[in-house]
Structure formats: structure tokens, C-alpha cells
Amino acid sequence: MSRRQVSVTRHFVDSGNFPFAGSLHSKSRSSSFLSIGLVIVGAILLIGYVYSGSGKSRVFAASRLEGGYTCTLEAQRAIPFLKKAYGDSMHKVLHVGPDTCSLVSKLLKEEGTEAWGVEPYDIEDVEADCKSLVGKGIVRVADIKFPLPYRSKSFSLVILSDAVDYLSPKYLNKTMPEFARVASDGLVIFAGSPGHQKAKVAELSKFGRPAKMRSSTWWVHFFNQISLQENEAATKKFEQAASKSSYLPACQVFHLKPYH
């Protein structure tokens, strides 16, 4: 029926016997332009929402996961294997690195585990749970280029992720001994691998510099220079637990002994 009606209309138009044909075409075009205009306005409003308020944090989180690497996420995945490797030493943990609220929240859900965090960068547009952790003093915002605000051996285990890759050797020489100072049983470092993509240009405003992906050989040499020894027992237990679950870390994982 619809096709037949269209042909009839066309016949009237062509013969000049349909006086309102021109106005119908004009209304049709106006309706199309209006639809397109509404779509464009809707897209502009959506973009405006994404780059303001809570939308901004969602886009930033997505770019971290899709465009770069995140060893903090890897550290979260590794918690069951860290518990196998360190046992009772997981009772008092300090995490240092961006997005520390997410890792601290997960650690606090583990039975018998107390956790604290240090966020090296300004916290903006964070969730209410993260604001609560900061308000309680569980998570602190602090420049890790300076001494940590904790006494020596305050924590049984210190975990670092997405932090050391952004530090130059000059600052690593100062900060790494500081991390080891506040640990009593062990120090675990999740560092990016040379094969990983560097941080996006959009992220440089937060981190200040692109991530430096260093090889395991470079790290081992550096640890020897500052007299940090590998925790061979913890390394073996971690690797055995990971192997049983077919877990292969996307980041390099180093288990070190603290200073005594």
C-alpha cells in the first residue's frame, strides 16, 4: 500500500495537479534538518558531561586501562598470590602508587589485613569511598620524592605500583631506601615492562613525565647499588602460587628484603 501511495503522489506532483506538494517536500526537509540538529545538540551535551564532573574521572580511568598499562590493577589481581607468599606478613600493608584507594579498599576486605595508602598525585573527581579513606587518614596524598610520614618498620609489607616508573634514577636513589625503611618484612614492586606502551600524552599533566620502562637487568643492578637484596623465599612462594593458577603477571614483580 505504501509504495502505491508514493507513486500516486509522484503522479500528482509531476502533472502539477497537487497544489500542496511543494509544501510537503518543504516540511519533510525541515523535519530532517530538525532531527539532525537535535542529534548534534545531544552529542554536544554528552561531550560536555563527559568532560565535567564525574564523567571526567570515567574517561581518565578508561584511558588508563585501554591506552596504557596499570600495575596497580595488576597488584590487585596478585593479592591472593601475595598472601600465599607472605602469609602473616600481610597483616599490615602500605600501598604506594596512583589509584591507591582501589587497592587499599580491596586489601581491607581481606580478613586480618590492615591497609594504608599513599597517593603520589593530586586526587580529583574521586568516588565517595576514596574521599572517606582520605578523610580517615587511611590514604594520604604525599610527594614520594620526600621522606614518607611514617616511622621505620611501621608496616609489615610495602607494595609499590605505577610509581617508580615515573621517577628518575636521581629520585629513585632517595625514595627506594625510604620505602624499604618503613617495611619490616618485605617490599614488593610492580614495575612496567619495556614491551608495554608508554603513558598517553594526555596523562603527562598528572604524572609530570612519561613512564620509563626499565628491564629486569636494570632493576637488579639498581637494587644492588642501593644494597637491597632479593627476598628469594617470597619470590619462590609467589611464583609457585601463580603457576598453580596459571597466573602470569603483566608487570614485572620484584620481592625485596627491607633494611635491617
Side-chain angles (χ1 to χ4, degrees), residues 24 100 126 130 139-141 185 212 227 239 258:
L24 286 175
T100 189
V126 295
C130 187
V139 169
R140 295 187 179 188
V141 179
D185 295 342
K212 180 69 173 179
S227 302
E239 291 177 348

Side-chain angles (χ1 to χ4, degrees), residues 69-87:
Y69 75 96
T70 164
C71 286
T72 298
L73 180 61
E74 195 63 47
Q76 292 185 45
R77 294 176 58 206
I79 288 177
F81 312 110
L82 290 172
K83 292 184 69 175
K84 292 285 186 181
Y86 290 94

Side-chain angles (χ1 to χ4, degrees), residues 159-193:
I159 301 174
L160 308 176
S161 62
D162 291 327
V164 294
D165 295 321
Y166 294 91
L167 295 176
S168 65
K170 172 185 175 182
Y171 287 110
L172 281 174
N173 283 321
K174 297 179 180 179
T175 58
M176 200 64 73
E178 185 68 5
F179 300 140
R181 178 187 67 81
V182 299
S184 62
D185 295 342
L187 179 66
V188 184
I189 300 174
F190 288 81
S193 300

Side-chain angles (χ1 to χ4, degrees), residues 3 17 33 47-48 61 66 71 103 112-113 128-129 153 161 164 176-177 179 190 200 229 237 244 252:
R3 291 183 180 177
N17 294 325
F33 290 142
I47 293 173
E66 295 172 5
C71 286
L103 182 57
T113 299
D129 291 345
K153 302 188 184 302
S161 62
V164 294
M176 200 64 73
F179 300 140
F190 288 81
K200 283 187 171 183
Q229 299 178 352
K237 290 179 181 178
K244 289 181 180 179
Q252 300 184 84

Side-chain angles (χ1 to χ4, degrees), residues 9 19 45 49-50 62 94 98 120 147 170 173 176 179 201 209 221 225 236 247 253:
T9 303
L45 291 174
Y49 168 75
V50 164
L94 173 69
K170 172 185 175 182
N173 283 321
M176 200 64 73
F179 300 140
V201 174
R209 58 182 295 146
H221 179 69
Q225 281 185 324
K236 185 177 180 179
Y247 167 70
V253 185

Side-chain angles (χ1 to χ4, degrees), residues 105-127:
S105 296
K106 191 163 185 177
L107 285 170
L108 289 173
K109 294 176 182 178
E110 298 290 328
E111 185 177 356
T113 299
E114 299 177 28
W116 288 263
V118 173
E119 168 66 60
Y121 311 102
D122 290 337
I123 296 179
E124 298 178 357
D125 301 322
V126 295
E127 302 295 332

